[in-house]
């Protein structure tokens, strides 16, 4: 039988790297190592001079490597890997032994191949269920609260009337978050140094004012304005000495929204990815 002819690239032509796999098509002119350096450098959107600076050489040296006019010293390889954020196996286009099937995995794969189509489907469903359980175990608990980012009490006469005016905010569970019902933003400096303008605070709703003890910090509605103040014996007090106590006439309406539990740590705001993952795992809670 006649041998099949194989077209080979002409000597000196540029090497080719498969875009999907990143695998190098062998080029007789440029070593695989040099082609891989170019590939990962461009993938990282890095210029030759940037790579050179990170590993302590000249840009001309990097250019010589990538054009096959030289090779990096073996002592530079770890620095190149760190700069390009790749492994040594990636750099030399080799399979990483750590990613090969273990003996147990090979046995399971061989056993799976002997199953009927119906049994393979059952295995697939079991794996899907186990992955969902695993995701649920690894997914952090998330709580849905109401966030009032704007003027909380503008236009309201009763604190129960603004329940539908907030936006949902999703927070990672913690002792303080679990006790809270809503979040709103501090406006002004009357409660400095403990609460600053722009701070987001956690609030636990209280139906009746007497449940807030004297000296505790609460969120109040007075007329059409909302305040964070210290609950005094016969007034609302500020922590900032520059603000006098607020006294009220009998005819004035003062409503307690709830107890201020503390400042919300921005790190407690759940990422969109975690929220979506939690929503899929716990649809009834959202």
């Amino acid at each position: 039988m006649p041998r099949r002819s194989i077209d080979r690239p002409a000597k000196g032509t540029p090497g080719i790297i498969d875009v999907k796999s990143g695998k190098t098509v062998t080029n007789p002119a440029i070593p695989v190592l040099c082609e891989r350096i170019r590939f990962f450098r461009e993938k990282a959107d890095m210029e030759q001079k940037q790579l050179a600076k990170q590993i302590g050489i000249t840009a001309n040296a990097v250019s010589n490597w990538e054009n096959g006019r030289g090779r990096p010293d073996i002592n530079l390889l770890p620095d190149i890997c760190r700069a390009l954020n790749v492994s040594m196996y990636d750099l030399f286009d080799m399979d990483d032994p750590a990613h090969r099937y273990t003996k147990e995995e090979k046995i399971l794969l061989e056993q799976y191949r002997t199953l009927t189509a119906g049994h393979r489907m059952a295995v697939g469903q079991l794996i899907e269920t186990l992955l969902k359980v695993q995701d649920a175990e690894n997914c952090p608990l998330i709580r849905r609260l109401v966030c009032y980012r704007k003027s909380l009490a503008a236009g309201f006469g009763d604190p129960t009337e603004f329940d539908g005016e907030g936006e949902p905010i999703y927070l990672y569970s913690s002792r303080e978050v679990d006790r809270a019902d809503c979040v709103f933003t501090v406006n002004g400096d009357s409660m400095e140094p403990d609460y600053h303008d722009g701070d987001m605070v956690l609030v636990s709703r209280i139906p009746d004012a007497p449940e807030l003890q004297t000296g505790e910090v609460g969120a109040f509605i007075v007329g059409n304005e909302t305040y964070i103040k210290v609950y005094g014996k016969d007034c609302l007090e500020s922590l900032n000495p520059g603000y006098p106590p607020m006294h009220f006439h009998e005819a004035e309406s003062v409503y307690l929204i709830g107890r201020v539990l503390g400042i919300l740590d921005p790190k407690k705001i759940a990422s969109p990815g975690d929220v979506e993952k939690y929503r899929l795992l716990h649809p009834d809670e959202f």
Side-chain angles (χ1 to χ4, degrees):
M1 178 182 292
R3 293 183 179 180
R4 295 174 58 190
S5 62
I6 301 176
D7 294 331
R8 300 183 182 276
K11 186 174 182 180
T13 56
I16 300 174
I17 296 179
D18 186 277
V19 176
K20 292 184 179 179
S21 66
K23 295 293 184 181
T24 304
V25 176
T26 304
N27 186 312
I30 302 178
V32 170
L33 170 61
C34 299
E35 290 180 334
R36 300 291 285 179
I37 291 175
R38 177 194 291 272
F39 171 72
F40 286 115
R41 178 184 61 76
E42 293 179 345
K43 186 177 180 181
D45 196 23
M46 184 185 299
E47 295 183 358
Q48 290 180 341
K49 61 183 180 181
Q50 292 175 300
L51 175 59
K53 183 177 180 180
Q54 290 195 41
I55 58 181
I57 59 172
T58 65
N60 285 338
V62 176
S63 176
N64 289 337
W65 298 344
E66 295 183 355
N67 287 287
R69 293 192 293 267
R71 300 189 188 189
D73 187 278
I74 191 171
N75 295 325
L76 292 176
L77 294 180
D79 293 332
I80 295 173
C81 288
R82 279 191 291 269
L84 298 176
N85 194 29
V86 297
S87 70
M88 200 74 75
Y89 295 102
D90 292 328
L91 200 59
F92 283 91
D93 197 15
M94 298 169 59
D95 292 331
D96 187 345
H99 296 162
R100 295 175 182 172
Y101 290 124
T102 64
K103 181 179 179 181
E104 292 76 11
E105 289 169 339
K106 289 181 179 178
I107 293 174
L108 288 174
L109 181 58
E110 291 172 359
Q111 292 175 335
Y112 176 81
R113 287 173 173 171
T114 64
L115 296 175
T116 63
H119 289 165
R120 289 185 182 185
M121 182 179 297
V123 170
Q125 292 173 344
L126 175 60
I127 292 175
E128 185 176 342
T129 299
L130 292 174
L131 288 174
K132 288 182 178 179
V133 172
Q134 183 172 286
D135 285 342
E137 293 173 344
N138 295 332
C139 183
L141 291 176
I142 292 177
R143 297 289 179 255
R144 181 182 185 273
L145 277 63
V146 180
C147 179
Y148 302 98
R149 296 185 180 277
K150 298 181 180 179
S151 182
L152 182 61
F156 297 106
D158 188 306
T160 61
E161 295 179 9
F162 64 78
D163 283 341
E165 299 297 325
E167 300 176 353
I169 184 171
Y170 302 95
L171 308 176
Y172 295 116
S173 175
S174 69
R175 182 175 178 274
E176 204 166 55
V177 167
D178 294 346
R179 292 169 55 204
D181 300 295
C182 55
V183 176
F184 65 92
T185 305
V186 176
N187 183 19
D189 61 354
S190 66
M191 291 297 284
E192 290 186 353
D194 291 2
Y195 301 90
H196 300 85
D197 183 51
D199 283 345
M200 300 177 71
V201 293
L202 294 163
V203 176
S204 174
R205 296 291 300 276
I206 301 177
D208 303 313
E211 292 189 31
L212 193 66
Q213 304 299 315
T214 302
E216 290 187 314
V217 178
F220 301 87
I221 293 178
V222 181
N224 288 334
E225 297 295 333
T226 301
Y227 299 91
I228 297 179
K229 297 294 180 183
V230 178
Y231 183 53
K233 185 176 182 181
D234 56 359
C235 64
L236 298 181
E237 302 173 351
S238 301
L239 295 177
N240 188 335
Y243 290 81
M246 299 174 64
H247 295 275
F248 307 98
H249 300 294
E250 291 183 1
E252 290 183 283
S253 298
V254 180
Y255 294 95
L256 171 66
I257 300 172
R259 179 182 288 108
V260 174
L261 302 176
I263 298 173
L264 172 64
D265 182 351
K267 294 180 181 179
K268 285 295 182 182
I269 300 176
S271 68
D274 282 346
V275 172
E276 184 60 28
K277 184 177 179 180
Y278 192 86
R279 191 196 306 274
L280 293 173
L281 294 170
H282 307 276
D284 295 339
E285 296 185 21
F286 286 69

